[in-house]
Amino acid sequence: PAGPGRGFALGRWHSRVSGHPEAKGELPISALAEEIDTATREGEPIRALVAVAANPVLSAPDGDRLDKALASLDFMVSVDPYLNETSRHAHVVLPPPPPAQSPHHDFAFNTLAVRNQVRYTRPAVPLEPGRMAESEILARLILAATGMHGADPAAVDETVIGQTLGKAVKEPHSPVHGRDPRELAARLTGDGGPERRLDMMLRLGPYGDGFGARPDGLSLEKLLAHPHGVDLGPLRPRLPQPLKTVSGRIELLPRPIADDLPRLRAALRERPAGLVLVGRRHLRSNNSWMHNVPALTGGSNRCTLHIHPEDAARLGIRDGAAVHVKGAGGALTAPAEITDGVRPGVVSLPHGWGHDRPGTRLAHAATDPGVNVNQLLDGSLLDPLSGNAVLNGVPVRLSPAAAPA
């Protein structure tokens, strides 16, 4: 049932160097470099790092500083299929299997679905002997980080199952309230710990069979019997059930946002001189790794600076000519693409490019490396509540690039 919760707290702790407030247990990625390369009286710098499918050298502000900071770490492990701009610093690289050898149940993108549906796909191709599934890689990292290196990675799954079922049986409104968690665990099916965990989540969920309480509900066995998925009908209203605010109601203007309104009003009065930079994403270029897939590059998926014809004429910039772009964090040179798809006063560069750093093994991406737009940012502009770096609407200066001698 709907009811009040603990609410959302900000700043339960702060970063060591600049004092950035924590948000949802996280600190700004723009603070990572200084947390590595800066010593303070408050504690030791970060000396070890685990990166999972992340390339912050290209995705975070001031990648050059972060690049140098990562090189100074005592130890770094990266879970990544590529030796990219970030994982090239790792002392250990753990490549996960490709999608054909991996199972898939969509958690993230189902939150964007326009209809209730569920499906699960087992790997189409079996793993080679000795190769670990990505879930086992992550489980072994958890064991190593908690001082249990060498333990059976299945222990991680069983711990999660035990904790989750133990909580569910104590919840008065749960379909398994009052039952024995060990008996429920024994009823789980699946090929290994990750599938057992999926079976548990499906059965405890709003469409699940409740471990027999709703015989027609979902379970892993039902999904396996319907390889093309199960249609659960149109979306349903959920409010106020999922609200966890202190009031138990939708809080349109919570106190942290209300307190930040004076800063917002002041910012609206500030008009940066010159041009402002915004990013862009191509359909075939959502993340930096996609630049290393030949079928996804070419055509409109290019690293060019979009500039309005009026601004191009005023600055003496020709279509296709090299343009020097300078921001608070650095400067770069990119080819101009004159288009009325941007407004006058606005220029645009796509994110995720800049594949020209030594030590990477992105053979296809290196043939057209582009430039790293986030190098124009120094990381000082942050949203004060979430800690997210300001990546759009930042002032830049443009000039035609000098012709080579």
Side-chain angles (χ1 to χ4, degrees):
R6 291 183 297 177
F8 180 74
L10 284 168
R12 292 172 293 178
W13 64 86
H14 293 75
S15 66
R16 178 179 54 90
V17 179
S18 294
H20 295 297
E22 159 273 340
K24 298 184 72 175
E26 299 178 348
L27 293 171
I29 188 66
S30 56
L32 179 57
E34 67 182 20
E35 291 293 319
I36 295 174
D37 65 20
T38 306
T40 67
R41 294 180 179 179
E42 284 70 26
E44 293 295 323
I46 290 174
R47 300 310 311 147
L49 184 71
V50 179
V52 181
N55 194 1
V57 169
L58 294 189
S59 62
D62 197 357
D64 285 351
R65 180 180 181 182
L66 182 57
D67 200 27
K68 296 174 183 176
L70 294 179
S72 73
L73 290 170
D74 293 336
F75 179 71
M76 176 177 171
V77 59
S78 186
V79 181
D80 206 291
Y82 286 127
L83 202 64
N84 59 31
E85 292 75 19
T86 298
S87 61
R88 69 194 177 109
H89 292 295
H91 299 82
V92 178
V93 178
L94 303 172
Q101 292 182 297
S102 303
H104 184 72
H105 173 80
D106 210 326
F107 290 98
F109 286 107
N110 264 357
T111 63
L112 307 176
V114 296
R115 188 174 178 85
N116 280 331
Q117 54 79 33
V118 60
R119 70 189 69 205
Y120 173 65
T121 307
R122 279 178 164 167
V125 180
L127 291 172
E128 300 91 341
R131 185 163 194 177
M132 288 185 287
E134 186 168 3
S135 57
E136 182 178 350
I137 292 173
L138 298 177
R140 288 184 179 275
L141 284 174
I142 291 171
L143 292 171
T146 53
M148 299 172 62
H149 185 66
D152 186 351
V156 174
D157 298 307
E158 295 309 313
T159 298
V160 172
I161 289 172
Q163 291 175 345
T164 305
L165 291 176
K167 183 178 179 180
V169 298
K170 296 177 182 178
E171 167 56 52
H173 301 281
S174 168
V176 295
H177 177 245
R179 296 175 65 176
D180 183 353
R182 291 170 296 182
E183 177 262 329
L184 298 176
R187 297 182 61 172
L188 293 174
T189 64
D191 184 11
E195 283 197 352
R196 284 168 48 80
R197 288 169 62 174
L198 176 59
D199 188 33
M200 174 187 66
M201 288 186 282
L202 289 168
R203 299 174 83 164
L204 290 177
Y207 298 95
D209 72 352
F211 286 85
R214 297 185 292 263
D216 294 333
L218 292 178
S219 65
L220 178 64
E221 288 185 340
K222 186 168 184 177
L223 287 195
L224 292 175
H226 295 80
H228 298 292
V230 177
D231 183 7
L232 300 171
L235 299 179
R236 303 177 185 176
R238 295 188 62 204
L239 293 177
Q241 187 271 332
L243 292 178
K244 300 301 178 186
T245 56
V246 174
S247 65
R249 304 176 67 185
I250 299 174
E251 298 179 358
L252 295 178
L253 189 62
R255 177 51 52 190
I257 293 180
D259 292 343
D260 193 49
L261 288 178
R263 183 197 63 83
L264 175 62
R265 292 192 184 98
L268 289 174
R269 292 192 293 268
E270 298 174 0
R271 298 292 179 180
L275 300 164
V276 294
L277 175 76
V278 299
R280 72 178 185 269
R281 279 191 169 191
H282 290 286
L283 181 64
R284 290 169 288 136
S285 182
N286 286 306
N287 300 98
S288 62
W289 66 267
M290 299 172 79
H291 302 150
N292 204 47
V293 181
L296 299 179
T297 54
S300 62
N301 186 14
R302 296 180 297 135
C303 187
T304 59
L305 179 76
H306 282 184
I307 180 171
H308 192 273
E310 294 178 10
D311 294 320
R314 175 173 53 85
L315 297 170
I317 295 172
R318 295 178 293 103
D319 190 56
V323 182
H324 184 74
V325 187
K326 183 171 178 55
L332 51 81
T333 300
E337 184 176 344
I338 299 176
T339 172
D340 59 6
V342 294
R343 296 180 63 179
V346 178
V347 294
S348 173
L349 269 174
H351 85 293
W353 297 79
H355 305 289
D356 54 358
R357 297 177 188 265
T360 59
R361 296 183 188 174
L362 303 172
H364 180 72
T367 62
D368 185 17
V371 294
N372 180 11
V373 62
N374 288 335
Q375 190 51 51
L376 297 171
L377 313 173
D378 63 3
S380 62
L381 293 175
L382 299 177
D383 171 63
L385 299 183
S386 69
N388 278 331
V390 176
L391 303 176
N392 287 292
V394 294
V396 293
R397 296 196 300 272
L398 263 60
S399 62

